[in-house]
Amino acid sequence: MSTTPRLNPPPNTSADFGSYLGYIGKTAAAFFDLYAEYWQRGVLPPDLKETTRLRNARITDCGY
Amino acid sequence: MDKPTASTPPTSIANVAALLQPIFGARPELWSRFQTFYDSMWTSGQISRRVLEICRLRIASIHDCSAEWSFRTVDVFVSDVELDALRRGDFSAFDHCEQAALHVAEKFPFQHDDIADAEVQAIEAGYGSAAAVALLTAVAFFDVRCRWHLVMSSNVPN
């Protein structure tokens, strides 16, 4: 798979995933707040979460 | 344009949220943050709520997810003709930009590897870069919500 972004990045930024989130700052901030809550708390052990995250990345052929 | 009928009862986002809330019963903090995130996609104003709604409904149809299909975002008008077209995957009734959004949404659930550069760029050309990112983010989570419903609910046919 390619990891070259398909869209034009925000002005004065590089074409990478993080830069694109700058387009949707409020939504991205809310997502990372959600994602941090998922990773930092809960009954599932972190290694199980990480294992399933990596497996999902492989299944979806996601290089990130 | 056709008028809404009793077959498409409008439902508020708050009521829609109630569909998923029981799934998060053991993690209310997670649910609260998910709601904030999901609502921000609908209220940011970066992409029209109608475009979000037709993409959400198309993905619900692809998954045959009755929970997602059964409600309508209350202030978004989608005609019965358009709803039928979304059910069938016929996008000819929609304008050029909406078709670009729907073509990408169509592939998100099971054909994401087949989404072409040109298809993404057509969304960017139609709506702009920021709107394209907002739309692609939202579409990903429309897919997620259907999967949550389908995996975490009873599989008794509706």
Side-chain angles (χ1 to χ4, degrees):
Chain A
M1 65 163 284
S2 170
T3 55
T4 302
R6 292 160 153 164
L7 302 170
N8 293 311
N12 304 315
T13 65
S14 58
D16 58 59
F17 189 74
S19 296
Y20 286 92
L21 295 180
Y23 277 130
I24 53 169
K26 181 182 174 185
T27 298
F31 172 77
F32 286 118
D33 191 35
L34 164 68
Y35 206 51
E37 174 64 29
Y38 167 75
W39 283 98
Q40 292 170 3
R41 280 182 274 275
V43 297
L44 293 179
D47 56 350
L48 178 58
K49 294 178 182 177
E50 180 68 355
T51 301
T52 53
R53 184 189 69 79
L54 289 169
R55 181 58 188 151
N56 189 61
R58 290 291 292 171
I59 291 170
T60 52
D61 194 23
C62 179
Y64 286 100
Chain B
M1 187 173 275
D2 294 352
K3 300 296 182 186
T5 70
S7 64
T8 58
T11 306
S12 72
I13 288 178
N15 288 339
V16 169
L19 295 171
L20 274 172
Q21 188 167 9
I23 294 175
F24 287 87
R27 291 295 310 277
E29 311 87 358
L30 201 60
W31 171 245
S32 172
R33 285 164 173 77
F34 177 76
Q35 273 191 296
T36 299
F37 164 66
Y38 192 74
D39 289 350
S40 79
M41 295 192 297
W42 287 89
T43 59
S44 72
Q46 291 180 298
I47 184 78
S48 86
R49 292 160 65 86
R50 175 180 154 86
V51 175
L52 293 175
E53 180 72 347
I54 61 176
C55 288
R56 184 188 68 77
L57 288 167
R58 180 56 196 154
I59 288 175
S61 180
I62 290 169
H63 280 295
D64 197 19
C65 180
S66 59
E68 283 288 328
W69 179 266
S70 64
F71 66 83
R72 305 285 178 264
T73 301
V74 67
D75 57 348
V76 177
F77 178 69
V78 182
S79 73
D80 283 352
V81 170
E82 291 170 326
L83 288 171
D84 183 59
L86 289 170
R87 269 285 197 203
R88 291 181 284 106
D90 175 4
F91 306 146
S92 59
F94 298 89
D95 71 31
H96 183 71
C97 292
E98 289 177 342
Q99 287 186 29
L102 286 165
H103 282 305
V104 170
E106 179 76 13
K107 294 182 177 178
F108 241 87
F110 300 110
Q111 306 169 75
H112 62 278
D113 285 331
D114 295 333
I115 296 173
D117 291 353
E119 291 176 310
V120 175
Q121 288 157 359
I123 296 174
E124 185 177 39
Y127 295 112
S129 300
V133 174
L135 176 63
L136 294 172
T137 302
V139 165
F141 281 86
F142 297 153
D143 187 40
V144 164
R145 282 172 56 106
C146 286
R147 291 171 186 270
W148 278 342
H149 280 298
L150 295 170
V151 171
M152 303 177 91
S153 303
S154 167
N155 60 1
V156 176
N158 293 294

